[in-house]
Amino acid sequence: PTAVPTFTVPKGTTNVLLLGSDDPIDNNDAGRTDTMMIVTINPDGPTASMISLPRDLYVYIPGFTMNRLNTAMSRGENVDYPGGGIGMLEQTILYNFGIPIHYYAQVDFQGFQDIVDAMGGVDLAVSCERSDWRLKSPDLYVEDPDNWEVFTLEPGVHHLDGDLALWYARSRLMDPLSDWGRGRRQQQLLRAMFNQGLDLGLVTELPTLWQTYKNTIDTNMDIGKMLQLAAIAPAVRDNGIQNLYLAGKTESFVTPGGAAVQVPTWEGDGMMKETLQQLFRPPALNRAARQAITVELINPSGNPDMRLPAAA
């Protein structure tokens, strides 16, 4: 495919690429970026939008060939691409989706768990029962099948530690052929962490936290830019965060090698182009520009605990 046109980014808008890798970030191997999100912060408002990029999107990797999006980083590392694996992934996103990336931040499994634990865990509203395999204890040997059991998270509001939060973010047993559900849960978890961080006043402690945890995250964002974005974080929450998804904007395809992938559908009503354009528009329900909305919840389930995930 030819390159898509680059979107016009409003002045002052910042696009941050968030990555979750299955390899330690201090490892020379780029590993697989199985979690990819773009967060766009618009200073007019201020507001924010986020969109998940499924790992199975079948895209053109510049200078190479068609492949899964989550292989771009390892390709960049293998060919010594300018900027390494991150540089290749950023160019792949620009070529196929027209979105320029200004900054990135990457975390591995252990780093993600450490961040959640450093916050004292995170409260999350689980609306549907979730079951998947989980180690009986985090310190057990992962290659021993006897160390695993099927764990179920019932509907309700749960307090998740780092290990359970990682399990919730990565779970695929109930939707093995699709990344759509996993992307939704990851965005939900990120929002919960954002809200809890604000409630705990962690924004004011950012310089100290960065000194403590900077080896946990790989990023090209300096502390000055972090502080600039942190300063508007409370207003971003007040004005609204827009969650976007690409479900229904792709076509299923089987590669000549037999791999099941998703091919982006760019043009047409409601297709990917229209969804990605919303990244750069303030959310339509910007709370700063409307009156408060009150919603009454009626709970006929007989289970009073169901009111909490419904309200969330």
Side-chain angles (χ1 to χ4, degrees):
T2 56
V4 304
T6 300
F7 285 108
T8 300
V9 179
K11 184 179 180 180
T13 295
T14 302
N15 296 330
V16 184
L17 177 63
L18 301 182
L19 303 170
S21 175
D22 63 355
D23 264 1
I25 59 173
D26 57 358
N27 193 332
N28 290 330
D29 184 359
R32 294 170 297 184
T33 45
D34 282 354
T35 297
M36 292 170 280
M37 290 185 205
I38 298 173
V39 178
T40 297
I41 302 101
N42 188 328
D44 294 333
T47 57
S49 301
M50 65 172 75
I51 192 164
S52 298
L53 300 178
R55 62 181 186 172
D56 288 339
L57 285 177
Y58 199 54
V59 297
Y60 176 67
I61 299 178
F64 188 45
T65 184
M66 298 291 292
N67 213 328
R68 281 190 174 97
L69 181 60
N70 73 334
T71 66
M73 272 192 64
S74 58
R75 170 67 184 173
E77 292 289 345
N78 291 337
V79 301
D80 292 327
Y81 191 81
I86 293 288
M88 175 65 84
L89 179 56
E90 290 178 351
Q91 286 303 308
T92 301
I93 290 172
L94 182 64
Y95 190 99
N96 293 275
F97 309 116
I99 301 173
I101 300 299
H102 304 123
Y103 299 98
Y104 75 89
Q106 182 181 10
V107 68
D108 57 24
F109 291 168
Q110 187 60 53
F112 177 77
Q113 293 181 73
D114 291 345
I115 291 169
V116 175
D117 287 335
M119 300 174 64
V122 61
D123 292 324
L124 195 76
V126 178
S127 56
C128 300
E129 179 182 286
R130 192 84 206 165
S131 296
D132 208 335
W133 291 97
R134 186 185 180 198
L135 274 176
K136 296 175 182 177
S137 175
D139 56 355
L140 293 176
Y141 181 54
V142 297
E143 300 296 339
D144 185 348
D146 292 334
N147 290 338
W148 294 81
E149 64 182 356
V150 174
F151 177 81
T152 298
L153 200 61
E154 300 287 349
V157 176
H158 297 272
H159 187 74
L160 279 55
D161 63 9
D163 179 69
L164 187 53
L166 181 65
W167 175 89
Y168 185 78
R170 297 190 65 218
S171 172
R172 294 193 76 200
L173 184 63
M174 296 175 65
D175 42 8
L177 300 180
S178 171
D179 267 346
W180 308 126
R182 192 158 70 156
R184 180 192 63 80
R185 282 181 277 112
Q186 290 168 353
Q187 290 198 29
Q188 178 197 14
L189 189 53
L190 195 63
R191 285 188 69 154
M193 294 170 66
F194 174 70
N195 288 330
Q196 190 153 317
L198 287 176
D199 292 340
L200 293 173
L202 297 183
V203 168
T204 59
E205 300 178 28
L206 182 59
T208 302
L209 290 169
W210 179 242
Q211 287 301 317
T212 303
Y213 294 101
K214 63 182 179 182
N215 293 330
T216 303
I217 302 171
D218 175 32
T219 182
N220 62 344
M221 187 181 296
D222 59 36
I223 186 65
K225 185 63 177 180
M226 291 181 197
L227 289 170
Q228 179 186 347
L229 294 178
I232 65 172
V236 166
R237 177 167 67 170
D238 290 343
N239 292 336
I241 298 175
Q242 181 176 217
N243 294 78
L244 300 171
Y245 307 94
L246 294 178
K249 319 296 182 187
T250 64
E251 295 180 3
S252 298
F253 180 69
V254 178
T255 70
V261 295
Q262 296 291 323
V263 178
T265 305
W266 186 252
E267 295 286 359
D269 265 353
M271 291 296 102
M272 187 172 290
K273 179 181 179 181
E274 174 64 24
T275 301
L276 295 178
Q277 281 178 330
Q278 294 181 49
L279 274 175
F280 308 109
R281 300 174 187 156
L285 289 179
N286 187 333
R287 296 188 187 114
R290 64 169 167 82
Q291 293 182 337
I293 296 174
T294 301
V295 178
E296 180 183 3
L297 295 177
I298 300 173
N299 178 11
S301 70
N303 180 356
D305 291 338
M306 291 302 292
R307 71 188 189 280
L308 297 176

